[in-house]
Amino acid sequence: MPFRATVLTLYPEMFPGHLGASLAGKALERGQWSIEAVQIRDFAEDKHRTVDDTPAGGGAGMVLKPDVLARAIDQVSADEDRPRLLMSPRGRPLTQARVRELSAGPGVVIVCGRFEGVDQRVIDTRNLEEVSIGDYILSGGEPAALVVLDAIVRILPGVMGNELSGLHESFEGGLLEHPHYTRPQLFEGQEIPAVLTSGNHGAVAKWREAEARRLTAERRPDLLEHNQNVERDPAQPVKK
Ligand SMILES: C[S@@+](CC[C@H](N)C(=O)[O-])C[C@H]1O[C@@H](n2cnc3c(N)ncnc32)[C@H](O)[C@@H]1O
């Protein structure tokens, strides 16, 4: 069964968005994955199709109603084992490791928050996994859902042109990736590092490893602390 994404949103017209273009779009056309955007408002039962209400305890903004959202979730994912994600700045930050797990599964149900967020009881009773895409606030969960799906879809089997290239990315081996160069040999007075054109594959691998470590230490020392035992040959695919 191809990977199946169901997105619950107040703005279904935002999907598939950029995922309808390029390699993800071609894979979508080929049926290698599917996406369905479901309008949460269709599950409101009053004549104004109300989806939000004022926060208990007072304060600014509105909160997505649990009854409406629960009906939507139950309708699209009753009796099945796809993980249910809630896009949320309070969630666990998305990692490439979690992306790999999700891409190996049957699909995902993604709930996009709006306003101040969603009622806590629907998070608890419907077992929603809160996922953040970074420490900043978006106006809604839709762009976050597109980010999560982009990361998943690009590593589905057969989606990327060169399957191996996905194994050499930043984070895959616990390090940021080394810098890249291509022709021309001389650009605005700057040469490609000689080792990369030496034809010595062992030396190239060593240089890439050293550069990956240098960049990681400089920009993301937290990654090195979490991956003290990273021993990686960048010429080899990363073992999962
Ligand atoms: C304006 S935000 C709500 C922010 C919330 N009041 C807070 O302070 O945590 C509206 C919705 O956008 C989505 N969102 C905003 N920032 C996000 C982020 N960094 N990662 C994932 N989703 C995000 C969530 O679905 C959220 O419910």
Side-chain angles (χ1 to χ4, degrees), residues 4 6 11 22 35 49 71 87 89 92 99 122 149 162 165 171 175 183 186-187 192 211 214 222 229 231 234:
R4 195 156 74 89
T6 303
Y11 298 95
S22 190
I35 183 166
R49 306 214 302 155
R71 274 195 293 276
M87 296 300 99
R92 186 168 293 172
V99 166
V122 81
L149 288 173
N162 177 359
S165 72
F171 308 115
L175 297 174
R183 283 182 287 266
L186 184 65
F187 169 69
I192 295 177
E211 282 294 291
R214 179 185 65 77
D222 56 304
N229 299 322
E231 283 297 338

Side-chain angles (χ1 to χ4, degrees), residues 105-187:
V108 280
V109 174
I110 303 187
V111 179
C112 301
R114 279 270 154 183
F115 320 119
E116 290 308 314
V118 315
D119 187 301
Q120 183 62 39
R121 292 166 295 177
V122 81
I123 301 177
D124 297 338
T125 60
R126 296 309 187 270
N127 201 15
L128 301 183
E129 173 185 341
E130 292 183 74
V131 174
S132 166
I133 64 157
D135 292 345
Y136 40 81
I137 303 294
L138 304 168
S139 49
E142 290 78 8
L146 286 167
V147 166
V148 173
L149 288 173
D150 183 307
I152 292 173
V153 167
R154 65 183 287 282
I155 56 171
L156 292 175
V159 171
M160 267 197 302
N162 177 359
E163 304 243 350
L164 264 187
S165 72
L167 296 172
H168 293 275
E169 312 282 10
S170 291
F171 308 115
E172 290 286 2
L175 297 174
L176 301 182
E177 201 186 38
H178 55 79
H180 298 283
Y181 295 87
T182 187
R183 283 182 287 266
Q185 173 67 28
L186 184 65
F187 169 69

Side-chain angles (χ1 to χ4, degrees), residues 4-12 14-16 19 33-40 72 76 82 85 87 108-113 141-146 149:
R4 195 156 74 89
T6 303
V7 183
L8 298 177
T9 169
L10 290 172
Y11 298 95
M14 291 188 184
F15 297 89
L19 297 176
W33 68 288
S34 70
I35 183 166
E36 179 193 20
V38 175
Q39 172 57 270
I40 296 170
V76 302
R82 283 184 297 167
L85 313 184
M87 296 300 99
V108 280
V109 174
I110 303 187
V111 179
C112 301
E142 290 78 8
L146 286 167
L149 288 173

Side-chain angles (χ1 to χ4, degrees), residues 3 83 92 94-108 129 152 155-156 240:
F3 187 90
R92 186 168 293 172
L94 186 68
T95 61
Q96 189 63 17
R98 185 67 185 125
V99 166
R100 283 228 167 259
E101 283 169 7
L102 292 169
S103 73
V108 280
E129 173 185 341
I152 292 173
I155 56 171
L156 292 175
K240 275 202 286 165

